[in-house]
Amino acid sequence: MPAVLVTGSSRGIGRAIAERFARDGYDVAVNYVSSAQKARAVAETIQQNTDSEAVAVRGDVGDPEEAADLVDATVEAFGDLSHVVNNAGVDQHVHTEDLSPEDFDSVMDTNVNGAFNVTKAALPHLKESDAAPTPSVTNVSSILAYTGAPVECHYAASKAGLLGLTKSHAGDFAPDIRVNAIAPGHIETDMTADRTDDEKRDEMANIPVERFGQPEDIADAAAYLRDAGFVTGETLNVNGGELMR
Ligand code: NAP
């Protein structure tokens, strides 16, 4: 069975992508950095409810050695690595005047360097895969890559950086491996759980479909990009129309 590595899949969007790939017939490496129990629970749920295998694997994607170990553990578990979803991400709300260079770097390390580290380590295995239509890498960016974000400049910069990485790698790895990005709008996960009611009301006013996104909305996009053999170097915007406003 072909295998996928979904970084940051102990919860939220990553969890939904891991479960979707498992339902679609892929073995899944469920990556986490600190939520060991949650990651194990995701792997167990997959094993119980699908015909796929799953393993929980710790690894900080921002650390090149840990990223390489994470890829090795995936290949060791399944004997294959056909798809990578670079989903692991961190967010932080701080005005630039209060933002330290260390905090700036730490968000960049996970969000951009993490995708680079994992993709680089995965590359030899993806090249060996005979996945149809092709092996793929999908990077989870954000609507904030386009709009910027006043209190999270480092997060917005990291997500814009991911779009450059996506197009560069799509050209680099063609025709053997497709590389795309997803740019979600507001998705209900731990990352957005701290919004006040006023903030949510203001944000909802800018979403034409009049609901926030669910992790499964992004899992649908990830499954589409995995299977879309004529799509590479693209960003799929999944935001309920928010980008139009
Ligand atoms: P979340 O609920 O906060 O989950 C984040 C995931 O990333 C967790 O599994 C976490 O693992 C993992 N992670 C964090 N740092 C890591 C590291 N250094 N190495 C490996 N794993 C790490 O976030 P989410 O809302 O599902 O977001 C998933 C992705 O979508 C992120 O890239 C985020 O920027 C992007 N996104 C989210 C939204 C949204 O509205 N929610 C919108 C646009 C884009 P632990 O559980 O072990 O901490």
PDB file of all heavy atoms in Angstrom, residues 7-14 31-35 59-62 87-90 110-111 140-143 155 159 184-187 189-192, ligand 1:
ATOM      1  N   THR A   7       2.794  15.853   8.246  1.00  0.00           N
ATOM      2  CA  THR A   7       3.416  16.474   9.423  1.00  0.00           C
ATOM      3  C   THR A   7       2.346  17.219  10.220  1.00  0.00           C
ATOM      4  O   THR A   7       1.363  17.724   9.667  1.00  0.00           O
ATOM      5  CB  THR A   7       4.563  17.431   9.016  1.00  0.00           C
ATOM      6  OG1 THR A   7       4.029  18.575   8.346  1.00  0.00           O
ATOM      7  CG2 THR A   7       5.580  16.719   8.136  1.00  0.00           C
ATOM      8  N   GLY A   8       2.548  17.229  11.544  1.00  0.00           N
ATOM      9  CA  GLY A   8       1.584  17.906  12.414  1.00  0.00           C
ATOM     10  C   GLY A   8       0.192  17.334  12.307  1.00  0.00           C
ATOM     11  O   GLY A   8      -0.782  18.056  12.104  1.00  0.00           O
ATOM     12  N   SER A   9       0.090  15.988  12.461  1.00  0.00           N
ATOM     13  CA  SER A   9      -1.231  15.368  12.274  1.00  0.00           C
ATOM     14  C   SER A   9      -1.790  14.787  13.570  1.00  0.00           C
ATOM     15  O   SER A   9      -2.679  13.947  13.550  1.00  0.00           O
ATOM     16  CB  SER A   9      -1.184  14.319  11.159  1.00  0.00           C
ATOM     17  OG  SER A   9      -0.067  13.491  11.267  1.00  0.00           O
ATOM     18  N   SER A  10      -1.304  15.268  14.710  1.00  0.00           N
ATOM     19  CA  SER A  10      -1.853  14.843  15.997  1.00  0.00           C
ATOM     20  C   SER A  10      -3.209  15.477  16.261  1.00  0.00           C
ATOM     21  O   SER A  10      -3.960  15.011  17.133  1.00  0.00           O
ATOM     22  CB  SER A  10      -0.886  15.223  17.118  1.00  0.00           C
ATOM     23  OG  SER A  10      -0.472  16.569  16.973  1.00  0.00           O
ATOM     24  N   ARG A  11      -3.514  16.574  15.553  1.00  0.00           N
ATOM     25  CA  ARG A  11      -4.790  17.270  15.781  1.00  0.00           C
ATOM     26  C   ARG A  11      -5.095  18.177  14.586  1.00  0.00           C
ATOM     27  O   ARG A  11      -4.286  18.289  13.661  1.00  0.00           O
ATOM     28  CB  ARG A  11      -4.762  18.069  17.089  1.00  0.00           C
ATOM     29  CG  ARG A  11      -3.563  18.963  17.251  1.00  0.00           C
ATOM     30  CD  ARG A  11      -3.297  19.320  18.728  1.00  0.00           C
ATOM     31  NE  ARG A  11      -2.006  19.959  18.882  1.00  0.00           N
ATOM     32  CZ  ARG A  11      -1.807  21.268  18.874  1.00  0.00           C
ATOM     33  NH1 ARG A  11      -2.844  22.090  18.749  1.00  0.00           N
ATOM     34  NH2 ARG A  11      -0.597  21.772  18.995  1.00  0.00           N
ATOM     35  N   GLY A  12      -6.277  18.798  14.637  1.00  0.00           N
ATOM     36  CA  GLY A  12      -6.625  19.838  13.669  1.00  0.00           C
ATOM     37  C   GLY A  12      -6.645  19.367  12.218  1.00  0.00           C
ATOM     38  O   GLY A  12      -7.093  18.272  11.882  1.00  0.00           O
ATOM     39  N   ILE A  13      -6.133  20.244  11.360  1.00  0.00           N
ATOM     40  CA  ILE A  13      -6.172  19.997   9.920  1.00  0.00           C
ATOM     41  C   ILE A  13      -5.355  18.759   9.557  1.00  0.00           C
ATOM     42  O   ILE A  13      -5.787  17.929   8.744  1.00  0.00           O
ATOM     43  CB  ILE A  13      -5.631  21.243   9.178  1.00  0.00           C
ATOM     44  CG1 ILE A  13      -6.618  22.418   9.332  1.00  0.00           C
ATOM     45  CG2 ILE A  13      -5.367  20.930   7.707  1.00  0.00           C
ATOM     46  CD1 ILE A  13      -6.072  23.762   8.860  1.00  0.00           C
ATOM     47  N   GLY A  14      -4.190  18.611  10.166  1.00  0.00           N
ATOM     48  CA  GLY A  14      -3.330  17.458   9.866  1.00  0.00           C
ATOM     49  C   GLY A  14      -4.019  16.146  10.186  1.00  0.00           C
ATOM     50  O   GLY A  14      -3.921  15.175   9.426  1.00  0.00           O
ATOM     51  N   ASN A  31       2.590  12.483  12.388  1.00  0.00           N
ATOM     52  CA  ASN A  31       3.706  13.189  13.040  1.00  0.00           C
ATOM     53  C   ASN A  31       3.197  14.185  14.098  1.00  0.00           C
ATOM     54  O   ASN A  31       2.140  14.792  13.940  1.00  0.00           O
ATOM     55  CB  ASN A  31       4.522  13.921  11.971  1.00  0.00           C
ATOM     56  CG  ASN A  31       5.398  15.010  12.553  1.00  0.00           C
ATOM     57  OD1 ASN A  31       5.180  16.187  12.279  1.00  0.00           O
ATOM     58  ND2 ASN A  31       6.372  14.651  13.363  1.00  0.00           N
ATOM     59  N   TYR A  32       3.984  14.317  15.158  1.00  0.00           N
ATOM     60  CA  TYR A  32       3.692  15.298  16.204  1.00  0.00           C
ATOM     61  C   TYR A  32       5.019  15.778  16.772  1.00  0.00           C
ATOM     62  O   TYR A  32       6.074  15.167  16.521  1.00  0.00           O
ATOM     63  CB  TYR A  32       2.843  14.664  17.315  1.00  0.00           C
ATOM     64  CG  TYR A  32       3.586  13.592  18.083  1.00  0.00           C
ATOM     65  CD1 TYR A  32       4.193  13.867  19.306  1.00  0.00           C
ATOM     66  CD2 TYR A  32       3.735  12.299  17.558  1.00  0.00           C
ATOM     67  CE1 TYR A  32       4.898  12.888  19.995  1.00  0.00           C
ATOM     68  CE2 TYR A  32       4.447  11.320  18.237  1.00  0.00           C
ATOM     69  CZ  TYR A  32       5.023  11.621  19.457  1.00  0.00           C
ATOM     70  OH  TYR A  32       5.732  10.661  20.120  1.00  0.00           O
ATOM     71  N   VAL A  33       4.946  16.851  17.576  1.00  0.00           N
ATOM     72  CA  VAL A  33       6.166  17.279  18.258  1.00  0.00           C
ATOM     73  C   VAL A  33       6.022  17.143  19.770  1.00  0.00           C
ATOM     74  O   VAL A  33       6.979  16.787  20.449  1.00  0.00           O
ATOM     75  CB  VAL A  33       6.591  18.710  17.845  1.00  0.00           C
ATOM     76  CG1 VAL A  33       5.602  19.768  18.300  1.00  0.00           C
ATOM     77  CG2 VAL A  33       7.978  19.044  18.351  1.00  0.00           C
ATOM     78  N   SER A  34       4.808  17.393  20.308  1.00  0.00           N
ATOM     79  CA  SER A  34       4.636  17.254  21.764  1.00  0.00           C
ATOM     80  C   SER A  34       3.397  16.460  22.170  1.00  0.00           C
ATOM     81  O   SER A  34       3.354  15.923  23.277  1.00  0.00           O
ATOM     82  CB  SER A  34       4.614  18.633  22.430  1.00  0.00           C
ATOM     83  OG  SER A  34       3.633  19.426  21.825  1.00  0.00           O
ATOM     84  N   SER A  35       2.393  16.339  21.317  1.00  0.00           N
ATOM     85  CA  SER A  35       1.132  15.661  21.692  1.00  0.00           C
ATOM     86  C   SER A  35       1.196  14.162  21.389  1.00  0.00           C
ATOM     87  O   SER A  35       0.469  13.663  20.514  1.00  0.00           O
ATOM     88  CB  SER A  35      -0.049  16.274  20.938  1.00  0.00           C
ATOM     89  OG  SER A  35      -0.106  17.653  21.108  1.00  0.00           O
ATOM     90  N   GLY A  59       8.739  14.122  15.893  1.00  0.00           N
ATOM     91  CA  GLY A  59       9.838  14.768  15.174  1.00  0.00           C
ATOM     92  C   GLY A  59       9.540  16.236  14.999  1.00  0.00           C
ATOM     93  O   GLY A  59       8.450  16.591  14.551  1.00  0.00           O
ATOM     94  N   ASP A  60      10.505  17.068  15.378  1.00  0.00           N
ATOM     95  CA  ASP A  60      10.384  18.510  15.167  1.00  0.00           C
ATOM     96  C   ASP A  60      10.828  18.803  13.740  1.00  0.00           C
ATOM     97  O   ASP A  60      12.016  18.694  13.418  1.00  0.00           O
ATOM     98  CB  ASP A  60      11.276  19.229  16.184  1.00  0.00           C
ATOM     99  CG  ASP A  60      11.279  20.738  15.990  1.00  0.00           C
ATOM    100  OD1 ASP A  60      10.733  21.222  14.983  1.00  0.00           O
ATOM    101  OD2 ASP A  60      11.842  21.427  16.853  1.00  0.00           O
ATOM    102  N   VAL A  61       9.895  19.186  12.898  1.00  0.00           N
ATOM    103  CA  VAL A  61      10.226  19.367  11.482  1.00  0.00           C
ATOM    104  C   VAL A  61      11.238  20.494  11.260  1.00  0.00           C
ATOM    105  O   VAL A  61      11.937  20.517  10.253  1.00  0.00           O
ATOM    106  CB  VAL A  61       8.962  19.615  10.615  1.00  0.00           C
ATOM    107  CG1 VAL A  61       8.043  18.409  10.633  1.00  0.00           C
ATOM    108  CG2 VAL A  61       8.230  20.887  11.044  1.00  0.00           C
ATOM    109  N   GLY A  62      11.312  21.425  12.210  1.00  0.00           N
ATOM    110  CA  GLY A  62      12.246  22.539  12.079  1.00  0.00           C
ATOM    111  C   GLY A  62      13.693  22.143  12.275  1.00  0.00           C
ATOM    112  O   GLY A  62      14.599  22.920  11.967  1.00  0.00           O
ATOM    113  N   ASN A  87       2.170  19.994   6.726  1.00  0.00           N
ATOM    114  CA  ASN A  87       1.069  20.697   7.388  1.00  0.00           C
ATOM    115  C   ASN A  87       1.484  21.323   8.719  1.00  0.00           C
ATOM    116  O   ASN A  87       0.851  22.280   9.174  1.00  0.00           O
ATOM    117  CB  ASN A  87      -0.073  19.696   7.609  1.00  0.00           C
ATOM    118  CG  ASN A  87      -1.091  20.199   8.604  1.00  0.00           C
ATOM    119  OD1 ASN A  87      -1.949  21.014   8.265  1.00  0.00           O
ATOM    120  ND2 ASN A  87      -0.988  19.750   9.858  1.00  0.00           N
ATOM    121  N   ALA A  88       2.544  20.802   9.360  1.00  0.00           N
ATOM    122  CA  ALA A  88       2.920  21.292  10.696  1.00  0.00           C
ATOM    123  C   ALA A  88       3.107  22.801  10.661  1.00  0.00           C
ATOM    124  O   ALA A  88       3.752  23.341   9.756  1.00  0.00           O
ATOM    125  CB  ALA A  88       4.211  20.622  11.160  1.00  0.00           C
ATOM    126  N   GLY A  89       2.525  23.478  11.638  1.00  0.00           N
ATOM    127  CA  GLY A  89       2.663  24.926  11.667  1.00  0.00           C
ATOM    128  C   GLY A  89       2.392  25.476  13.047  1.00  0.00           C
ATOM    129  O   GLY A  89       1.687  24.863  13.856  1.00  0.00           O
ATOM    130  N   VAL A  90       2.996  26.631  13.316  1.00  0.00           N
ATOM    131  CA  VAL A  90       2.742  27.344  14.575  1.00  0.00           C
ATOM    132  C   VAL A  90       2.397  28.789  14.265  1.00  0.00           C
ATOM    133  O   VAL A  90       2.819  29.338  13.251  1.00  0.00           O
ATOM    134  CB  VAL A  90       3.960  27.287  15.530  1.00  0.00           C
ATOM    135  CG1 VAL A  90       4.092  25.923  16.164  1.00  0.00           C
ATOM    136  CG2 VAL A  90       5.241  27.691  14.814  1.00  0.00           C
ATOM    137  N   THR A 110       9.702  26.332  11.939  1.00  0.00           N
ATOM    138  CA  THR A 110       8.677  25.281  11.805  1.00  0.00           C
ATOM    139  C   THR A 110       7.952  25.394  10.465  1.00  0.00           C
ATOM    140  O   THR A 110       7.811  24.411   9.734  1.00  0.00           O
ATOM    141  CB  THR A 110       7.640  25.382  12.950  1.00  0.00           C
ATOM    142  OG1 THR A 110       8.310  25.200  14.186  1.00  0.00           O
ATOM    143  CG2 THR A 110       6.553  24.337  12.792  1.00  0.00           C
ATOM    144  N   ASN A 111       7.515  26.610  10.130  1.00  0.00           N
ATOM    145  CA  ASN A 111       6.576  26.750   9.012  1.00  0.00           C
ATOM    146  C   ASN A 111       7.228  26.664   7.632  1.00  0.00           C
ATOM    147  O   ASN A 111       6.619  26.119   6.713  1.00  0.00           O
ATOM    148  CB  ASN A 111       5.815  28.074   9.138  1.00  0.00           C
ATOM    149  CG  ASN A 111       4.900  28.104  10.359  1.00  0.00           C
ATOM    150  OD1 ASN A 111       4.906  27.176  11.166  1.00  0.00           O
ATOM    151  ND2 ASN A 111       4.132  29.147  10.500  1.00  0.00           N
ATOM    152  N   VAL A 140       0.952  23.264   3.304  1.00  0.00           N
ATOM    153  CA  VAL A 140      -0.208  23.993   3.833  1.00  0.00           C
ATOM    154  C   VAL A 140       0.221  25.416   4.191  1.00  0.00           C
ATOM    155  O   VAL A 140       0.925  25.644   5.175  1.00  0.00           O
ATOM    156  CB  VAL A 140      -0.834  23.264   5.032  1.00  0.00           C
ATOM    157  CG1 VAL A 140      -2.039  24.060   5.543  1.00  0.00           C
ATOM    158  CG2 VAL A 140      -1.269  21.848   4.631  1.00  0.00           C
ATOM    159  N   SER A 141      -0.213  26.349   3.355  1.00  0.00           N
ATOM    160  CA  SER A 141       0.096  27.773   3.542  1.00  0.00           C
ATOM    161  C   SER A 141      -1.061  28.426   4.284  1.00  0.00           C
ATOM    162  O   SER A 141      -1.630  27.824   5.206  1.00  0.00           O
ATOM    163  CB  SER A 141       0.368  28.401   2.165  1.00  0.00           C
ATOM    164  OG  SER A 141       0.555  29.775   2.258  1.00  0.00           O
ATOM    165  N   SER A 142      -1.462  29.623   3.869  1.00  0.00           N
ATOM    166  CA  SER A 142      -2.556  30.327   4.546  1.00  0.00           C
ATOM    167  C   SER A 142      -3.025  31.486   3.686  1.00  0.00           C
ATOM    168  O   SER A 142      -2.240  32.064   2.914  1.00  0.00           O
ATOM    169  CB  SER A 142      -2.074  30.880   5.888  1.00  0.00           C
ATOM    170  OG  SER A 142      -2.997  31.818   6.406  1.00  0.00           O
ATOM    171  N   ILE A 143      -4.282  31.887   3.869  1.00  0.00           N
ATOM    172  CA  ILE A 143      -4.803  33.098   3.225  1.00  0.00           C
ATOM    173  C   ILE A 143      -3.954  34.313   3.610  1.00  0.00           C
ATOM    174  O   ILE A 143      -3.826  35.271   2.851  1.00  0.00           O
ATOM    175  CB  ILE A 143      -6.295  33.291   3.613  1.00  0.00           C
ATOM    176  CG1 ILE A 143      -6.945  34.378   2.765  1.00  0.00           C
ATOM    177  CG2 ILE A 143      -6.447  33.594   5.093  1.00  0.00           C
ATOM    178  CD1 ILE A 143      -8.466  34.484   2.973  1.00  0.00           C
ATOM    179  N   TYR A 155       4.294  34.957  10.907  1.00  0.00           N
ATOM    180  CA  TYR A 155       3.442  33.876  10.397  1.00  0.00           C
ATOM    181  C   TYR A 155       3.089  34.135   8.926  1.00  0.00           C
ATOM    182  O   TYR A 155       3.241  33.238   8.074  1.00  0.00           O
ATOM    183  CB  TYR A 155       2.166  33.793  11.245  1.00  0.00           C
ATOM    184  CG  TYR A 155       1.208  32.710  10.808  1.00  0.00           C
ATOM    185  CD1 TYR A 155       1.414  31.379  11.167  1.00  0.00           C
ATOM    186  CD2 TYR A 155       0.096  33.008  10.021  1.00  0.00           C
ATOM    187  CE1 TYR A 155       0.531  30.389  10.758  1.00  0.00           C
ATOM    188  CE2 TYR A 155      -0.786  32.024   9.614  1.00  0.00           C
ATOM    189  CZ  TYR A 155      -0.566  30.719   9.988  1.00  0.00           C
ATOM    190  OH  TYR A 155      -1.438  29.733   9.582  1.00  0.00           O
ATOM    191  N   LYS A 159       4.170  31.903   5.626  1.00  0.00           N
ATOM    192  CA  LYS A 159       3.199  31.276   4.721  1.00  0.00           C
ATOM    193  C   LYS A 159       3.387  31.770   3.283  1.00  0.00           C
ATOM    194  O   LYS A 159       3.155  31.029   2.323  1.00  0.00           O
ATOM    195  CB  LYS A 159       1.771  31.543   5.224  1.00  0.00           C
ATOM    196  CG  LYS A 159       1.473  30.847   6.560  1.00  0.00           C
ATOM    197  CD  LYS A 159       1.649  29.344   6.457  1.00  0.00           C
ATOM    198  CE  LYS A 159       1.309  28.593   7.712  1.00  0.00           C
ATOM    199  NZ  LYS A 159       1.459  27.140   7.584  1.00  0.00           N
ATOM    200  N   PRO A 184      -5.546  27.809   3.320  1.00  0.00           N
ATOM    201  CA  PRO A 184      -6.839  27.836   4.020  1.00  0.00           C
ATOM    202  C   PRO A 184      -7.167  29.231   4.543  1.00  0.00           C
ATOM    203  O   PRO A 184      -6.278  30.010   4.879  1.00  0.00           O
ATOM    204  CB  PRO A 184      -6.632  26.882   5.207  1.00  0.00           C
ATOM    205  CG  PRO A 184      -5.367  26.123   4.927  1.00  0.00           C
ATOM    206  CD  PRO A 184      -4.541  27.035   4.076  1.00  0.00           C
ATOM    207  N   GLY A 185      -8.478  29.499   4.623  1.00  0.00           N
ATOM    208  CA  GLY A 185      -8.951  30.651   5.387  1.00  0.00           C
ATOM    209  C   GLY A 185      -9.120  30.219   6.834  1.00  0.00           C
ATOM    210  O   GLY A 185      -8.374  29.365   7.335  1.00  0.00           O
ATOM    211  N   HIS A 186     -10.130  30.777   7.518  1.00  0.00           N
ATOM    212  CA  HIS A 186     -10.339  30.459   8.944  1.00  0.00           C
ATOM    213  C   HIS A 186     -10.908  29.040   9.086  1.00  0.00           C
ATOM    214  O   HIS A 186     -12.024  28.763   8.647  1.00  0.00           O
ATOM    215  CB  HIS A 186     -11.316  31.471   9.550  1.00  0.00           C
ATOM    216  CG  HIS A 186     -11.580  31.276  11.004  1.00  0.00           C
ATOM    217  ND1 HIS A 186     -11.439  32.281  11.931  1.00  0.00           N
ATOM    218  CD2 HIS A 186     -11.982  30.188  11.710  1.00  0.00           C
ATOM    219  CE1 HIS A 186     -11.737  31.819  13.138  1.00  0.00           C
ATOM    220  NE2 HIS A 186     -12.085  30.548  13.023  1.00  0.00           N
ATOM    221  N   ILE A 187     -10.131  28.165   9.695  1.00  0.00           N
ATOM    222  CA  ILE A 187     -10.557  26.782   9.944  1.00  0.00           C
ATOM    223  C   ILE A 187     -10.664  26.587  11.456  1.00  0.00           C
ATOM    224  O   ILE A 187      -9.765  27.021  12.202  1.00  0.00           O
ATOM    225  CB  ILE A 187      -9.525  25.771   9.372  1.00  0.00           C
ATOM    226  CG1 ILE A 187      -9.187  26.084   7.900  1.00  0.00           C
ATOM    227  CG2 ILE A 187     -10.058  24.345   9.522  1.00  0.00           C
ATOM    228  CD1 ILE A 187     -10.326  26.031   6.915  1.00  0.00           C
ATOM    229  N   THR A 189      -9.964  25.089  14.547  1.00  0.00           N
ATOM    230  CA  THR A 189      -9.019  24.173  15.197  1.00  0.00           C
ATOM    231  C   THR A 189      -8.489  24.868  16.456  1.00  0.00           C
ATOM    232  O   THR A 189      -8.866  26.004  16.747  1.00  0.00           O
ATOM    233  CB  THR A 189      -7.812  23.871  14.287  1.00  0.00           C
ATOM    234  OG1 THR A 189      -7.038  25.074  14.157  1.00  0.00           O
ATOM    235  CG2 THR A 189      -8.209  23.369  12.916  1.00  0.00           C
ATOM    236  N   ASP A 190      -7.556  24.201  17.143  1.00  0.00           N
ATOM    237  CA  ASP A 190      -6.920  24.838  18.311  1.00  0.00           C
ATOM    238  C   ASP A 190      -6.298  26.184  17.942  1.00  0.00           C
ATOM    239  O   ASP A 190      -6.249  27.102  18.756  1.00  0.00           O
ATOM    240  CB  ASP A 190      -5.801  23.928  18.870  1.00  0.00           C
ATOM    241  CG  ASP A 190      -6.353  22.653  19.471  1.00  0.00           C
ATOM    242  OD1 ASP A 190      -7.592  22.583  19.690  1.00  0.00           O
ATOM    243  OD2 ASP A 190      -5.563  21.718  19.722  1.00  0.00           O
ATOM    244  N   MET A 191      -5.803  26.276  16.694  1.00  0.00           N
ATOM    245  CA  MET A 191      -5.084  27.492  16.285  1.00  0.00           C
ATOM    246  C   MET A 191      -5.982  28.718  16.279  1.00  0.00           C
ATOM    247  O   MET A 191      -5.522  29.838  16.468  1.00  0.00           O
ATOM    248  CB  MET A 191      -4.453  27.286  14.900  1.00  0.00           C
ATOM    249  CG  MET A 191      -3.442  28.337  14.528  1.00  0.00           C
ATOM    250  SD  MET A 191      -2.591  27.971  12.999  1.00  0.00           S
ATOM    251  CE  MET A 191      -1.219  26.985  13.553  1.00  0.00           C
ATOM    252  N   THR A 192      -7.281  28.508  16.047  1.00  0.00           N
ATOM    253  CA  THR A 192      -8.200  29.650  15.970  1.00  0.00           C
ATOM    254  C   THR A 192      -9.142  29.701  17.179  1.00  0.00           C
ATOM    255  O   THR A 192     -10.043  30.537  17.235  1.00  0.00           O
ATOM    256  CB  THR A 192      -9.047  29.566  14.675  1.00  0.00           C
ATOM    257  OG1 THR A 192      -9.579  28.237  14.555  1.00  0.00           O
ATOM    258  CG2 THR A 192      -8.220  29.880  13.452  1.00  0.00           C
TER     259      THR A 192
HETATM  260  P1  NAP B   1      -3.101  23.115  15.248  1.00  0.00           P
HETATM  261  O1  NAP B   1      -4.448  22.592  15.573  1.00  0.00           O
HETATM  262  O2  NAP B   1      -2.466  24.109  16.155  1.00  0.00           O
HETATM  263  O3  NAP B   1      -2.111  21.864  15.018  1.00  0.00           O
HETATM  264  C1  NAP B   1      -0.770  22.103  14.717  1.00  0.00           C
HETATM  265  C2  NAP B   1      -0.087  20.785  14.425  1.00  0.00           C
HETATM  266  O4  NAP B   1       1.278  21.045  14.062  1.00  0.00           O
HETATM  267  C3  NAP B   1      -0.051  19.867  15.638  1.00  0.00           C
HETATM  268  O5  NAP B   1      -0.179  18.539  15.191  1.00  0.00           O
HETATM  269  C4  NAP B   1       1.350  20.102  16.195  1.00  0.00           C
HETATM  270  O6  NAP B   1       1.876  18.993  16.923  1.00  0.00           O
HETATM  271  C5  NAP B   1       2.129  20.265  14.895  1.00  0.00           C
HETATM  272  N1  NAP B   1       3.413  20.941  15.076  1.00  0.00           N
HETATM  273  C6  NAP B   1       3.648  22.183  15.549  1.00  0.00           C
HETATM  274  N2  NAP B   1       4.977  22.437  15.538  1.00  0.00           N
HETATM  275  C7  NAP B   1       5.575  21.329  15.042  1.00  0.00           C
HETATM  276  C8  NAP B   1       6.928  20.967  14.776  1.00  0.00           C
HETATM  277  N3  NAP B   1       7.937  21.826  15.011  1.00  0.00           N
HETATM  278  N4  NAP B   1       7.182  19.746  14.260  1.00  0.00           N
HETATM  279  C9  NAP B   1       6.179  18.865  14.013  1.00  0.00           C
HETATM  280  N5  NAP B   1       4.881  19.154  14.251  1.00  0.00           N
HETATM  281  C10 NAP B   1       4.587  20.365  14.746  1.00  0.00           C
HETATM  282  O7  NAP B   1      -3.103  23.844  13.818  1.00  0.00           O
HETATM  283  P2  NAP B   1      -4.088  23.714  12.574  1.00  0.00           P
HETATM  284  O8  NAP B   1      -5.071  24.813  12.660  1.00  0.00           O
HETATM  285  O9  NAP B   1      -4.546  22.314  12.399  1.00  0.00           O
HETATM  286  O10 NAP B   1      -3.078  24.121  11.411  1.00  0.00           O
HETATM  287  C11 NAP B   1      -2.441  23.178  10.555  1.00  0.00           C
HETATM  288  C12 NAP B   1      -1.756  23.945   9.448  1.00  0.00           C
HETATM  289  O11 NAP B   1      -2.713  24.761   8.760  1.00  0.00           O
HETATM  290  C13 NAP B   1      -0.693  24.926   9.961  1.00  0.00           C
HETATM  291  O12 NAP B   1       0.397  24.959   9.064  1.00  0.00           O
HETATM  292  C14 NAP B   1      -1.405  26.253   9.951  1.00  0.00           C
HETATM  293  O13 NAP B   1      -0.518  27.328   9.852  1.00  0.00           O
HETATM  294  C15 NAP B   1      -2.282  26.106   8.726  1.00  0.00           C
HETATM  295  N6  NAP B   1      -3.439  26.978   8.700  1.00  0.00           N
HETATM  296  C16 NAP B   1      -4.388  26.918   9.659  1.00  0.00           C
HETATM  297  C17 NAP B   1      -5.493  27.778   9.586  1.00  0.00           C
HETATM  298  C18 NAP B   1      -6.594  27.762  10.601  1.00  0.00           C
HETATM  299  O14 NAP B   1      -7.473  28.650  10.517  1.00  0.00           O
HETATM  300  N7  NAP B   1      -6.626  26.838  11.551  1.00  0.00           N
HETATM  301  C19 NAP B   1      -5.585  28.709   8.536  1.00  0.00           C
HETATM  302  C20 NAP B   1      -4.580  28.741   7.573  1.00  0.00           C
HETATM  303  C21 NAP B   1      -3.512  27.862   7.648  1.00  0.00           C
HETATM  304  P3  NAP B   1       1.641  18.846  18.533  1.00  0.00           P
HETATM  305  O15 NAP B   1       0.191  18.488  18.688  1.00  0.00           O
HETATM  306  O16 NAP B   1       2.573  17.779  18.929  1.00  0.00           O
HETATM  307  O17 NAP B   1       1.959  20.196  19.114  1.00  0.00           O
END
